[in-house]
Amino acid sequence: MPSVLVDLTPLRVSPAFRRLWLGLSIANLGTQFTVVAVGLQVYELTRSTFSVGLVGLCALFPLVIFGLYGGAIVDHADRRTVALVASAVSWAATLVLAVQGWAGNGHVGLLYLLTAVQSGANAVNSPARSAIIPRLLEPRLMPAANALQTIGWNVALTGGPLLGAALVAVADYGPVYTIDAVLFTFAIVALVKLPAMPPEHDEAAGPRRARAGLGSVLDGLRYLGTRPNVRMTFIVDLIAMITSMPRVLFPAVALIYLGGGETTTGVLTAAIALGGIVAGLFSGGLARVRWQGRIIVGAIAAWGLSIAAFGAVLVVVGRGSPDHVLWLALGLAVLTLAIAGASDAVSAVFRQTILQTATPDAMRGRLQGVFTVVVAGGPRLGELLLGAVSTRLGEGGAALLGGLACVLLLALAVRLQRSFWHYDARDPQP
């Protein structure tokens, strides 16, 4: 079924992309091991959920700062070199995590510091890798390539936390961080084997500055302000994530609505990633989509309606604090979240494709840096908003209202920027 199943053409035609995809997929799995292990170790040291929450805060600030500045570096230096240096920094931080895990470190501040270092390095690494991929493949293959990337990421997001938690329980923290360090070498080897990739100057990107700095970052933001279709890929994603990212609701939902506690929380979290995997596996038709803006709009509308349906299930069930799992309600909740995850995966494939194909090479690093900030920051703002709304409307009401708000704001944004609806992959206009 080549027209339905995931298109493997990018893996066949480009050995460099194949190595990079495989290396990153394996490394992402190890990264999820470390994410879980750090959270567990912080809680073991502090017995404080607030202290665990500070891990995310320590990761957010370096990600925002280095996501923007790192994008400027990517547009001024060889992308392969930037990715290798950033990967080496991240790898070194993982090795230190392994050492402190084996040594039985009792200072939570060291964990916060290493999390911040890894986050900053990844904020530079991510736009560098994303700017490399369009140099390895033809534009027509970018949807298929991004679908493959989505599969690799969601597999890591689904299996990584489960395996990571199990490994911590069996082998403690040092071995888990060590496994991550070993798996990360696959990504480094893939980068080492790439050819040099200096940025290509394009007159459409404006005059080139002598060095990366604040001026270069501002040039990227000004460029984004004048490119409505690329700008809309960020706007519609922010609408979806800020209004209706439901993850913050899951712990309360598992206790008050559906029963099952931590196990149900894990199932709800995995449902979104599982939906993304299924969408990726059946993404063969995406490579032939011409009107990519319309697919993004439809996918985000489906996301909003799915989250609204998730909220409706909770409203019907009510806050009964059951002492057992309500299996029918849980099944319906998992189904709505899986559909939401599949919709988000389709949206991500084409948002990334538009960004990579409609942006000149000289600007790809900076806009990929903005993309990194949006993808990381939007969900966190959404969790803050839905958490606040749930205190007044309950978790079910917050999800229902957030999903409907997503659809309404999306319709308003598309009405104000009609060119996005008519975006044509055969004539990619930024």
Side-chain angles (χ1 to χ4, degrees), residues 355-379:
L355 181 59
Q356 290 170 324
T357 57
T359 302
D361 185 77
M363 277 289 174
R364 281 184 184 141
R366 277 165 283 187
L367 295 198
Q368 288 290 346
V370 176
F371 182 86
T372 299
V373 172
V374 167
V375 167

Side-chain angles (χ1 to χ4, degrees), residues 380-397:
R380 285 177 170 81
L381 292 175
E383 290 171 357
L384 180 64
L385 177 61
L386 258 67
V389 173
S390 69
T391 61
R392 292 187 174 274
L393 301 182
E395 289 74 18

Side-chain angles (χ1 to χ4, degrees), residues 145-173:
N146 288 323
L148 289 165
Q149 299 266 81
T150 299
I151 292 173
W153 168 247
N154 280 304
V155 167
L157 199 60
T158 303
L162 297 175
L163 289 173
L167 287 170
V168 168
V170 173
D172 205 20
Y173 300 106

Side-chain angles (χ1 to χ4, degrees), residues 8 61 64 66 79 121 174-175 182 211 227 270 300 317 335 341 345 390 393 400 403 413 417 427 430:
L8 301 178
F61 284 108
V64 171
F66 287 97
R79 275 87 187 261
V182 172
R211 60 186 180 87
R227 298 302 186 268
I300 292 180
V317 170
L335 177 62
S390 69
L393 301 182
L400 177 59
Q417 187 58 63
D427 182 26

Side-chain angles (χ1 to χ4, degrees), residues 8 33 60 74 104 141 153 162 169 178 238 258 266 279 290 310 336 345 364 388 390 420 427:
L8 301 178
F33 291 176
L60 181 59
V74 170
L141 294 177
W153 168 247
L162 297 175
T178 302
L238 285 172
L258 303 178
R290 177 178 178 183
F310 170 69
T336 60
R364 281 184 184 141
S390 69
F420 188 69
D427 182 26

Side-chain angles (χ1 to χ4, degrees), residues 94-426:
T94 304
L95 290 174
V96 176
L97 276 171
V99 170
Q100 66 84 37
W102 286 103
N105 165 54
H107 301 284
V108 71
L110 178 60
L111 296 173
Y112 290 148
L113 174 62
L114 293 173
T115 296
V117 171
Q118 284 188 320
S119 180
N122 185 62
V124 177
N125 204 353
S126 182
R129 295 193 309 252
S130 296
I132 285 171
I133 292 174
R135 300 277 288 271
L136 303 177
L137 296 165
E138 300 176 47
R140 67 180 180 85
L141 294 177
M142 292 311 302
N146 288 323
L148 289 165
Q149 299 266 81
T150 299
I151 292 173
W153 168 247
N154 280 304
V155 167
L157 199 60
T158 303
L162 297 175
L163 289 173
L167 287 170
V168 168
V170 173
D172 205 20
Y173 300 106
V176 174
Y177 297 133
T178 302
I179 291 172
D180 179 19
V182 172
L183 295 180
F184 197 82
T185 60
F186 285 84
I188 294 177
V189 170
L191 290 169
V192 167
K193 291 186 175 182
L194 289 174
M197 288 193 181
E200 298 173 346
H201 183 66
D202 190 313
E203 291 184 3
R208 178 182 173 87
R209 292 183 181 268
R211 60 186 180 87
L214 179 60
S216 184
V217 173
L218 294 177
D219 287 344
L221 295 176
R222 280 192 289 267
Y223 177 86
L224 179 61
T226 63
R227 298 302 186 268
N229 288 326
V230 174
R231 186 173 65 244
M232 274 290 285
T233 64
F234 297 119
I235 291 173
V236 295
D237 185 53
L238 285 172
I239 287 174
M241 294 298 102
I242 292 176
T243 60
S244 48
M245 170 48 75
R247 287 182 310 209
V248 71
L249 307 177
F250 292 166
V253 167
L255 289 172
I256 300 172
Y257 291 85
L258 303 178
E262 292 86 351
T263 301
T264 296
T265 300
V267 169
L268 295 176
T269 303
I272 295 178
L274 183 61
I277 294 172
V278 173
L281 292 175
F282 291 92
S283 62
L286 299 184
R288 297 183 296 278
V289 170
R290 177 178 178 183
W291 307 106
Q292 296 177 351
R294 298 178 189 181
I295 297 298
I296 294 173
V297 172
I300 292 180
W303 161 274
L305 292 174
S306 299
I307 299 302
F310 170 69
V313 170
L314 302 181
V315 170
V316 171
V317 170
R319 298 166 62 92
S321 299
D323 57 4
H324 61 282
V325 177
L326 303 181
W327 292 106
L328 177 59
L330 177 59
L332 291 173
V334 167
L335 177 62
T336 60
L337 292 173
I339 295 172
S343 303
D344 184 53
V346 172
S347 165
V349 165
F350 287 115
R351 285 185 289 107
Q352 183 72 279
T353 297
I354 290 175
L355 181 59
Q356 290 170 324
T357 57
T359 302
D361 185 77
M363 277 289 174
R364 281 184 184 141
R366 277 165 283 187
L367 295 198
Q368 288 290 346
V370 176
F371 182 86
T372 299
V373 172
V374 167
V375 167
R380 285 177 170 81
L381 292 175
E383 290 171 357
L384 180 64
L385 177 61
L386 258 67
V389 173
S390 69
T391 61
R392 292 187 174 274
L393 301 182
E395 289 74 18
L400 177 59
L401 180 62
L404 295 177
C406 170
V407 176
L408 291 174
L409 290 174
L410 174 67
L412 177 61
V414 174
R415 183 176 180 84
L416 294 174
Q417 187 58 63
R418 295 291 297 176
S419 67
F420 188 69
W421 180 259
H422 299 290
Y423 180 86
D424 186 353
R426 298 179 185 176

